[in-house]
mmCIF file of all heavy atoms in Angstrom:
data_model
loop_
_atom_site.group_PDB
_atom_site.id
_atom_site.type_symbol
_atom_site.label_atom_id
_atom_site.label_comp_id
_atom_site.label_asym_id
_atom_site.label_seq_id
_atom_site.Cartn_x
_atom_site.Cartn_y
_atom_site.Cartn_z
ATOM 1 N N GLU A 254 0.343 -14.557 6.814
ATOM 2 C CA GLU A 254 1.533 -13.940 6.239
ATOM 3 C C GLU A 254 2.680 -14.955 6.158
ATOM 4 O O GLU A 254 2.975 -15.656 7.140
ATOM 5 C CB GLU A 254 1.958 -12.751 7.106
ATOM 6 C CG GLU A 254 0.906 -11.661 7.201
ATOM 7 C CD GLU A 254 0.774 -10.855 5.918
ATOM 8 O OE1 GLU A 254 1.802 -10.375 5.401
ATOM 9 O OE2 GLU A 254 -0.364 -10.712 5.422
ATOM 10 N N LEU A 255 3.297 -15.002 4.996
ATOM 11 C CA LEU A 255 4.431 -15.917 4.786
ATOM 12 C C LEU A 255 5.731 -15.138 4.924
ATOM 13 O O LEU A 255 5.839 -13.997 4.446
ATOM 14 C CB LEU A 255 4.344 -16.504 3.369
ATOM 15 C CG LEU A 255 5.438 -17.502 2.986
ATOM 16 C CD1 LEU A 255 5.259 -18.826 3.726
ATOM 17 C CD2 LEU A 255 5.429 -17.762 1.468
ATOM 18 N N MET A 256 6.721 -15.736 5.579
ATOM 19 C CA MET A 256 8.026 -15.079 5.706
ATOM 20 C C MET A 256 9.113 -16.120 5.523
ATOM 21 O O MET A 256 9.060 -17.194 6.149
ATOM 22 C CB MET A 256 8.184 -14.467 7.108
ATOM 23 C CG MET A 256 7.155 -13.411 7.420
ATOM 24 S SD MET A 256 7.221 -12.916 9.156
ATOM 25 C CE MET A 256 6.299 -14.223 9.925
ATOM 26 N N ALA A 257 10.104 -15.806 4.706
ATOM 27 C CA ALA A 257 11.255 -16.703 4.581
ATOM 28 C C ALA A 257 12.089 -16.586 5.855
ATOM 29 O O ALA A 257 12.085 -15.532 6.519
ATOM 30 C CB ALA A 257 12.082 -16.297 3.376
ATOM 31 N N GLY A 258 12.807 -17.651 6.180
ATOM 32 C CA GLY A 258 13.715 -17.596 7.330
ATOM 33 C C GLY A 258 14.656 -16.407 7.207
ATOM 34 O O GLY A 258 14.988 -15.750 8.200
ATOM 35 N N PHE A 259 15.049 -16.100 5.970
ATOM 36 C CA PHE A 259 15.972 -14.979 5.737
ATOM 37 C C PHE A 259 15.362 -13.645 6.178
ATOM 38 O O PHE A 259 16.068 -12.766 6.697
ATOM 39 C CB PHE A 259 16.345 -14.940 4.248
ATOM 40 C CG PHE A 259 17.283 -13.821 3.890
ATOM 41 C CD1 PHE A 259 18.567 -13.769 4.421
ATOM 42 C CD2 PHE A 259 16.874 -12.814 3.036
ATOM 43 C CE1 PHE A 259 19.427 -12.722 4.096
ATOM 44 C CE2 PHE A 259 17.722 -11.764 2.701
ATOM 45 C CZ PHE A 259 19.005 -11.721 3.237
ATOM 46 N N SER A 260 14.043 -13.496 6.024
ATOM 47 C CA SER A 260 13.380 -12.253 6.449
ATOM 48 C C SER A 260 13.512 -12.094 7.964
ATOM 49 O O SER A 260 13.783 -11.005 8.475
ATOM 50 C CB SER A 260 11.889 -12.270 6.079
ATOM 51 O OG SER A 260 11.703 -12.550 4.716
ATOM 52 N N LEU A 261 13.301 -13.208 8.678
ATOM 53 C CA LEU A 261 13.437 -13.148 10.139
ATOM 54 C C LEU A 261 14.896 -12.896 10.544
ATOM 55 O O LEU A 261 15.165 -12.182 11.531
ATOM 56 C CB LEU A 261 12.919 -14.442 10.775
ATOM 57 C CG LEU A 261 11.444 -14.416 11.196
ATOM 58 C CD1 LEU A 261 10.523 -14.132 10.042
ATOM 59 C CD2 LEU A 261 11.037 -15.707 11.875
ATOM 60 N N ASP A 262 15.822 -13.473 9.771
ATOM 61 C CA ASP A 262 17.256 -13.214 10.057
ATOM 62 C C ASP A 262 17.526 -11.708 9.993
ATOM 63 O O ASP A 262 18.258 -11.166 10.817
ATOM 64 C CB ASP A 262 18.164 -13.906 9.032
ATOM 65 C CG ASP A 262 18.119 -15.425 9.149
ATOM 66 O OD1 ASP A 262 17.639 -15.921 10.191
ATOM 67 O OD2 ASP A 262 18.542 -16.104 8.181
ATOM 68 N N LEU A 263 16.945 -11.053 8.980
ATOM 69 C CA LEU A 263 17.177 -9.611 8.827
ATOM 70 C C LEU A 263 16.622 -8.835 10.022
ATOM 71 O O LEU A 263 17.265 -7.926 10.543
ATOM 72 C CB LEU A 263 16.518 -9.091 7.539
ATOM 73 C CG LEU A 263 17.160 -9.472 6.214
ATOM 74 C CD1 LEU A 263 16.355 -8.883 5.050
ATOM 75 C CD2 LEU A 263 18.602 -8.983 6.137
ATOM 76 N N VAL A 264 15.417 -9.218 10.468
ATOM 77 C CA VAL A 264 14.809 -8.517 11.608
ATOM 78 C C VAL A 264 15.664 -8.747 12.857
ATOM 79 O O VAL A 264 15.937 -7.816 13.626
ATOM 80 C CB VAL A 264 13.358 -8.999 11.842
ATOM 81 C CG1 VAL A 264 12.768 -8.342 13.082
ATOM 82 C CG2 VAL A 264 12.491 -8.688 10.626
ATOM 83 N N GLU A 265 16.099 -9.992 13.031
ATOM 84 C CA GLU A 265 16.931 -10.328 14.205
ATOM 85 C C GLU A 265 18.211 -9.501 14.188
ATOM 86 O O GLU A 265 18.618 -8.920 15.187
ATOM 87 C CB GLU A 265 17.267 -11.825 14.161
ATOM 88 C CG GLU A 265 17.881 -12.346 15.421
ATOM 89 C CD GLU A 265 17.891 -13.875 15.423
ATOM 90 O OE1 GLU A 265 17.930 -14.498 14.325
ATOM 91 O OE2 GLU A 265 17.860 -14.445 16.518
ATOM 92 N N LYS A 266 18.806 -9.404 12.988
ATOM 93 C CA LYS A 266 20.078 -8.688 12.865
ATOM 94 C C LYS A 266 19.909 -7.187 13.152
ATOM 95 O O LYS A 266 20.709 -6.601 13.866
ATOM 96 C CB LYS A 266 20.615 -8.890 11.439
ATOM 97 C CG LYS A 266 21.869 -8.117 11.122
ATOM 98 C CD LYS A 266 22.419 -8.548 9.764
ATOM 99 C CE LYS A 266 23.493 -7.592 9.286
ATOM 100 N NZ LYS A 266 23.851 -7.824 7.881
ATOM 101 N N HIS A 267 18.861 -6.586 12.612
ATOM 102 C CA HIS A 267 18.769 -5.128 12.675
ATOM 103 C C HIS A 267 17.958 -4.611 13.868
ATOM 104 O O HIS A 267 18.010 -3.424 14.175
ATOM 105 C CB HIS A 267 18.213 -4.582 11.362
ATOM 106 C CG HIS A 267 19.158 -4.824 10.222
ATOM 107 N ND1 HIS A 267 20.356 -4.160 10.116
ATOM 108 C CD2 HIS A 267 19.107 -5.688 9.180
ATOM 109 C CE1 HIS A 267 21.002 -4.586 9.030
ATOM 110 N NE2 HIS A 267 20.260 -5.519 8.448
ATOM 111 N N PHE A 268 17.180 -5.483 14.517
ATOM 112 C CA PHE A 268 16.407 -5.022 15.680
ATOM 113 C C PHE A 268 16.759 -5.776 16.961
ATOM 114 O O PHE A 268 16.200 -5.497 18.017
ATOM 115 C CB PHE A 268 14.907 -5.117 15.396
ATOM 116 C CG PHE A 268 14.440 -4.030 14.465
ATOM 117 C CD1 PHE A 268 14.405 -4.225 13.085
ATOM 118 C CD2 PHE A 268 14.077 -2.784 14.965
ATOM 119 C CE1 PHE A 268 14.002 -3.212 12.224
ATOM 120 C CE2 PHE A 268 13.666 -1.763 14.112
ATOM 121 C CZ PHE A 268 13.631 -1.975 12.745
ATOM 122 N N SER A 269 17.643 -6.767 16.840
ATOM 123 C CA SER A 269 18.113 -7.540 18.010
ATOM 124 C C SER A 269 16.964 -8.119 18.848
ATOM 125 O O SER A 269 17.035 -8.141 20.068
ATOM 126 C CB SER A 269 18.980 -6.666 18.938
ATOM 127 O OG SER A 269 19.958 -6.009 18.221
ATOM 128 N N PHE A 270 15.873 -8.534 18.201
ATOM 129 C CA PHE A 270 14.824 -9.240 18.943
ATOM 130 C C PHE A 270 15.315 -10.667 19.189
ATOM 131 O O PHE A 270 16.106 -11.192 18.405
ATOM 132 C CB PHE A 270 13.531 -9.358 18.118
ATOM 133 C CG PHE A 270 12.875 -8.051 17.768
ATOM 134 C CD1 PHE A 270 11.984 -7.984 16.698
ATOM 135 C CD2 PHE A 270 13.109 -6.910 18.510
ATOM 136 C CE1 PHE A 270 11.357 -6.799 16.367
ATOM 137 C CE2 PHE A 270 12.491 -5.712 18.182
ATOM 138 C CZ PHE A 270 11.610 -5.657 17.108
ATOM 139 N N SER A 271 14.792 -11.302 20.272
ATOM 140 C CA SER A 271 15.160 -12.720 20.413
ATOM 141 C C SER A 271 14.022 -13.577 19.879
ATOM 142 O O SER A 271 12.840 -13.317 20.120
ATOM 143 C CB SER A 271 15.522 -13.069 21.852
ATOM 144 O OG SER A 271 14.541 -12.577 22.700
ATOM 145 N N ARG A 272 14.430 -14.614 19.171
ATOM 146 C CA ARG A 272 13.451 -15.423 18.422
ATOM 147 C C ARG A 272 12.519 -16.202 19.333
ATOM 148 O O ARG A 272 12.975 -16.894 20.228
ATOM 149 C CB ARG A 272 14.201 -16.422 17.555
ATOM 150 C CG ARG A 272 14.666 -15.809 16.296
ATOM 151 C CD ARG A 272 14.881 -16.884 15.285
ATOM 152 N NE ARG A 272 15.622 -16.290 14.197
ATOM 153 C CZ ARG A 272 15.342 -16.524 12.924
ATOM 154 N NH1 ARG A 272 14.394 -17.365 12.620
ATOM 155 N NH2 ARG A 272 16.040 -15.946 11.992
ATOM 156 N N PRO A 273 11.221 -16.152 19.045
ATOM 157 C CA PRO A 273 10.280 -16.913 19.872
ATOM 158 C C PRO A 273 10.108 -18.348 19.378
ATOM 159 O O PRO A 273 9.328 -19.114 19.920
ATOM 160 C CB PRO A 273 8.982 -16.136 19.683
ATOM 161 C CG PRO A 273 9.104 -15.515 18.333
ATOM 162 C CD PRO A 273 10.558 -15.320 18.048
ATOM 163 N N ILE A 274 10.842 -18.729 18.338
ATOM 164 C CA ILE A 274 10.614 -20.017 17.673
ATOM 165 C C ILE A 274 11.950 -20.462 17.059
ATOM 166 O O ILE A 274 12.782 -19.610 16.721
ATOM 167 C CB ILE A 274 9.509 -19.843 16.591
ATOM 168 C CG1 ILE A 274 9.039 -21.163 16.026
ATOM 169 C CG2 ILE A 274 9.929 -18.911 15.491
ATOM 170 C CD1 ILE A 274 7.766 -21.041 15.190
ATOM 171 N N ALA A 275 12.117 -21.791 16.954
ATOM 172 C CA ALA A 275 13.386 -22.298 16.415
ATOM 173 C C ALA A 275 13.585 -21.843 14.965
ATOM 174 O O ALA A 275 12.614 -21.534 14.266
ATOM 175 C CB ALA A 275 13.390 -23.818 16.481
ATOM 176 N N ASP A 276 14.831 -21.838 14.554
ATOM 177 C CA ASP A 276 15.173 -21.427 13.191
ATOM 178 C C ASP A 276 14.493 -22.347 12.166
ATOM 179 O O ASP A 276 14.198 -23.501 12.471
ATOM 180 C CB ASP A 276 16.701 -21.506 13.038
ATOM 181 C CG ASP A 276 17.163 -20.594 11.923
ATOM 182 O OD1 ASP A 276 16.309 -19.890 11.355
ATOM 183 O OD2 ASP A 276 18.363 -20.592 11.623
ATOM 184 N N GLY A 277 14.239 -21.846 10.990
ATOM 185 C CA GLY A 277 13.600 -22.678 9.967
ATOM 186 C C GLY A 277 13.700 -22.011 8.608
ATOM 187 O O GLY A 277 14.207 -20.897 8.493
ATOM 188 N N GLU A 278 13.190 -22.703 7.588
ATOM 189 C CA GLU A 278 13.262 -22.167 6.211
ATOM 190 C C GLU A 278 12.154 -21.159 5.938
ATOM 191 O O GLU A 278 12.350 -20.167 5.261
ATOM 192 C CB GLU A 278 13.099 -23.320 5.221
ATOM 193 C CG GLU A 278 14.245 -24.292 5.179
ATOM 194 C CD GLU A 278 15.273 -23.868 4.160
ATOM 195 O OE1 GLU A 278 14.899 -23.714 2.986
ATOM 196 O OE2 GLU A 278 16.446 -23.691 4.538
ATOM 197 N N TRP A 279 10.934 -21.475 6.447
ATOM 198 C CA TRP A 279 9.768 -20.632 6.172
ATOM 199 C C TRP A 279 8.908 -20.498 7.419
ATOM 200 O O TRP A 279 8.841 -21.436 8.233
ATOM 201 C CB TRP A 279 8.905 -21.235 5.050
ATOM 202 C CG TRP A 279 9.576 -21.213 3.721
ATOM 203 C CD1 TRP A 279 10.306 -22.216 3.157
ATOM 204 C CD2 TRP A 279 9.602 -20.122 2.788
ATOM 205 N NE1 TRP A 279 10.783 -21.824 1.935
ATOM 206 C CE2 TRP A 279 10.366 -20.537 1.678
ATOM 207 C CE3 TRP A 279 9.055 -18.837 2.780
ATOM 208 C CZ2 TRP A 279 10.596 -19.713 0.575
ATOM 209 C CZ3 TRP A 279 9.276 -18.015 1.687
ATOM 210 C CH2 TRP A 279 10.045 -18.465 0.601
ATOM 211 N N PHE A 280 8.225 -19.373 7.528
ATOM 212 C CA PHE A 280 7.356 -19.128 8.692
ATOM 213 C C PHE A 280 6.017 -18.570 8.219
ATOM 214 O O PHE A 280 5.937 -17.914 7.173
ATOM 215 C CB PHE A 280 8.018 -18.120 9.639
ATOM 216 C CG PHE A 280 9.268 -18.668 10.270
ATOM 217 C CD1 PHE A 280 10.503 -18.565 9.615
ATOM 218 C CD2 PHE A 280 9.216 -19.324 11.496
ATOM 219 C CE1 PHE A 280 11.642 -19.090 10.174
ATOM 220 C CE2 PHE A 280 10.369 -19.854 12.067
ATOM 221 C CZ PHE A 280 11.583 -19.733 11.398
ATOM 222 N N VAL A 281 5.005 -18.832 9.049
ATOM 223 C CA VAL A 281 3.681 -18.272 8.773
ATOM 224 C C VAL A 281 3.196 -17.576 10.039
ATOM 225 O O VAL A 281 3.257 -18.151 11.133
ATOM 226 C CB VAL A 281 2.690 -19.386 8.365
ATOM 227 C CG1 VAL A 281 1.270 -18.842 8.306
ATOM 228 C CG2 VAL A 281 3.074 -19.978 7.015
#
Side-chain angles (χ1 to χ4, degrees):
E254 299 287 309
L255 181 71
M256 299 171 279
F259 180 63
S260 307
L261 267 59
D262 292 344
L263 288 179
V264 176
E265 191 167 28
K266 175 172 168 191
H267 294 290
F268 285 92
S269 310
F270 297 159
S271 49
R272 278 203 193 223
I274 190 168
D276 203 3
E278 291 270 303
W279 292 94
F280 294 86
V281 171

